[in-house]
Amino acid sequence: MISKQQTLFERIGGDQAITELIHKFYDRVVADPELKPFFKNASMEKIRRMQREFFSAALDGPITYTGKPLGYVHHGRGITKHHFALYVGHLIQALEKININDQDVQDIISRINTYADEITGTAGSMG
């Protein structure tokens, strides 16, 4: 008998958990004085929709990310590794708020960290 291993998306509670995560997460992000300026002229409705897609796809869910490539969307915005670390810190706190277990939090952060260079524009740079 072969049992199908659950995806990370399924383990954390699927679409309902992702939707709750994005809500709590972006409430934290836009309240951060260092991150808030990046969202000044942005449609938070669109960002939340795209982030729902992004996180669902990144965690092996059934939803496809339909947005532009991350490097393109974030290019020239001045996002540094420091900003990315703040972002990830808020993500960890939001995951804890929705009661995601420690192993799944680590797995999610590991996946999100794979996008750091694209978002900060440091892919292929030395240092």
Side-chain angles (χ1 to χ4, degrees):
M1 182 167 161
I2 299 173
S3 64
K4 180 182 174 262
Q5 187 173 354
Q6 283 188 311
T7 65
L8 187 50
F9 176 85
E10 294 166 333
R11 288 196 328 248
I12 69 164
D15 191 48
Q16 183 177 349
I18 295 289
T19 299
E20 183 179 1
L21 170 63
I22 297 307
H23 178 73
K24 291 185 183 313
F25 177 41
Y26 272 87
D27 284 351
R28 298 184 65 82
V29 168
V30 298
D32 184 305
E34 289 188 69
L35 298 178
K36 186 176 185 171
F38 293 110
F39 300 93
K40 182 178 177 188
N41 297 315
S43 163
M44 289 311 297
E45 179 183 331
K46 181 179 179 183
I47 287 173
R48 288 176 195 265
R49 184 177 68 249
M50 297 311 297
Q51 286 297 304
R52 180 180 157 268
E53 285 183 8
F54 171 77
F55 273 90
S56 295
L59 304 183
D60 300 323
I63 299 169
T64 302
Y65 175 69
T66 62
K68 295 177 182 170
L70 296 179
Y72 177 83
V73 173
H74 296 93
H75 179 75
R77 304 218 46 222
I79 300 169
T80 66
K81 289 193 183 259
H82 169 73
H83 296 121
F84 189 81
L86 291 172
Y87 177 89
V88 169
H90 291 303
L91 177 58
I92 291 168
Q93 291 173 343
L95 288 163
E96 291 170 350
K97 286 276 188 203
I98 64 168
N99 298 316
I100 303 300
N101 73 52
D102 290 344
Q103 183 60 56
D104 288 341
V105 169
Q106 289 177 18
D107 291 348
I108 291 167
I109 299 307
S110 177
R111 294 211 186 169
I112 299 308
N113 280 338
T114 65
Y115 300 98
D117 289 345
E118 283 181 80
I119 292 169
T120 61
T122 56
S125 69
M126 301 289 288

